[in-house]
Amino acid sequence: MTYPDLVIRSERVLTSQGFIPAAVCVSKGVITAILPIDSVIEGPPETDAAAPFDTIPLRQVRLALDEVLIPGLVDTHVHVNEPGRTEWEGFASATLAACAGGVTTIIDMPLNSVPPTVSVTALECKRRAAGAKASVHVGFWGGAIPANLGTLRELHDAGVFGFKAFLSPSGVDEFPHLSLEQLEAAATEIAAFDGQLLVHAEDPDVLDAAVNGGGDGYRDFMASRPPEAETTAIEHVIEIVQRTGVRAHILHLSSARSLPLLAAAKAAGLPITAETCPHYLYFAAECIPDGATSYKCCPPIRDEANRALLWAGLGDGTIDFVASDHSPATRELKLGHGGDFGLAWGGISGLQLSLAAVWSAGRARDVALEQVVEWMSAAPARFVGLAGLDGAAGLEGRAGKGAIAVGADADLVAFAPDEPFLVDAATLRHKNKVSAFDGALLVGRVRTTWLAGLEVFSVHDDVAGPPTGALLVR
């Protein structure tokens, strides 16, 4: 007989039926039942030591009336940077920030660590670095660079979720970009084993033609990375998909001018997907002061009209989901160049604040919370193949992310959608206390996070214990 070891009762539990009052029963990290909220639920008898079941004490939790229970978020675009650049971020700090933001699964990008994840040896190095420090579940992307073309199958077989490539310089020398010919060679190779190709889609020729002298002007920075860099690169990616059949994904879509291209490609049945990021949905260029290099990212945050079209692209399905593109750096790299956008590191630290940022901007547009959760939990879980409901435990983790359903993993979040809070970057769990969201008034606070049924974050006390995150393989 299976008895629950955790029951969470809430007036609003997000299920396939929408928000309903329910009691969610959890046993050994898996959701085993969803019952009426006031059901009488008992744990195992304490007196029968010989009974053929584990006698884990039953914990019962009732959420506050202003809280909802949602599945943990799945963030498929996180730069952890360990090993090699742990002064920027590491698995300990990044995954603690994830817990505090309601993110229970991350997929780590192959750069900016040293070495980058471009070989099985480097992947094993990453796994060793993460294994003892991960407070959430962690998977890994591989990288496609000129030097490892022809060997990508080895990384695929070792369990990476796919391969990231750049069409323009990545910003770090150890991860060089691919030419169009090399990108097509990578696509052909990846298509042969039905892998996933991720592309940082900015055309280097367009960027070279738009280069300027830098400085502290935000509009000058925007002009140095124009929308045409994205549209031209995406046109190239679509052509490569047509020729090779590779499954391709456009990372961190910034320019809404690319939406018609993606919509047409999808209508033609091409296997292409796209993501955008919280900072593109929350901020607009009109509100970014000159010299404010905390906002620098590549491609850049664009204007309000563009932002509105990105929201529309999410709404009609042209954009598939939202991922943070958490790309931290030291304070000196981010802010230490006198406000010069040409010299500052390009990346937004937003892992802990992604849910609140997207929900804050979305509710102002009458977007339902369940839709935000779809974009940030269920859809990315499906994208990386972690949305099954088999509940199979092991070092590789479970495969039932993104839903509250019987058989799904008990990666859960108590979220207060109406609670406002003022962001103070100094209190964030990111290693470097720098964020474009510093000082923002957001709505929606994560109050408790459970990972496989274990409480790993609470606003009420410090519950961080030994890291319990699993390492995931494709």
Side-chain angles (χ1 to χ4, degrees), residues 212-235:
N212 58 40
D216 66 358
Y218 186 73
R219 282 162 183 76
D220 292 334
F221 169 61
M222 272 204 305
S224 74
R225 304 190 88 98
E228 292 76 18
E230 289 186 78
T231 55
T232 302
I234 289 171
E235 286 173 346

Side-chain angles (χ1 to χ4, degrees), residues 113-133:
S113 57
V114 181
T117 315
V118 294
S119 69
V120 174
T121 300
L123 174 63
E124 291 170 349
C125 188
K126 275 271 186 141
R127 291 176 65 86
R128 285 194 300 271
K133 302 174 183 177

Side-chain angles (χ1 to χ4, degrees), residues 99-249:
C99 289
V103 177
T104 52
T105 299
I106 66 171
I107 312 296
D108 172 66
M109 281 292 167
L111 73 164
N112 301 302
S113 57
V114 181
T117 315
V118 294
S119 69
V120 174
T121 300
L123 174 63
E124 291 170 349
C125 188
K126 275 271 186 141
R127 291 176 65 86
R128 285 194 300 271
K133 302 174 183 177
S135 294
V136 300
H137 305 310
V138 179
F140 304 92
W141 297 112
I145 63 173
N148 75 342
L149 297 183
T151 67
L152 301 181
R153 181 63 185 256
E154 298 171 14
L155 264 174
H156 175 80
D157 290 346
V160 298
F161 283 80
F163 299 87
K164 180 176 184 177
F166 279 75
L167 271 175
S168 56
S170 70
V172 291
D173 293 340
E174 67 275 3
F175 201 97
H177 66 288
L178 300 180
S179 67
L180 282 175
E181 292 76 16
Q182 290 168 331
L183 184 68
E184 183 152 356
T188 301
E189 184 178 354
I190 293 166
F193 50 77
D194 192 30
Q196 179 74 58
L197 173 64
L198 315 180
V199 185
H200 179 122
E202 288 184 287
D203 185 271
D205 293 335
V206 175
L207 294 180
D208 286 346
V211 70
N212 58 40
D216 66 358
Y218 186 73
R219 282 162 183 76
D220 292 334
F221 169 61
M222 272 204 305
S224 74
R225 304 190 88 98
E228 292 76 18
E230 289 186 78
T231 55
T232 302
I234 289 171
E235 286 173 346
H236 292 317
V237 173
I238 290 170
E239 290 167 357
I240 288 172
V241 172
Q242 289 171 325
R243 289 193 291 267
T244 67
V246 73
R247 292 186 291 125
H249 179 71

Side-chain angles (χ1 to χ4, degrees), residues 338-357:
D340 191 327
F341 282 94
L343 298 175
W345 175 257
I348 302 288
S349 292
L351 177 60
Q352 184 172 335
L353 300 169
S354 292
L355 173 58

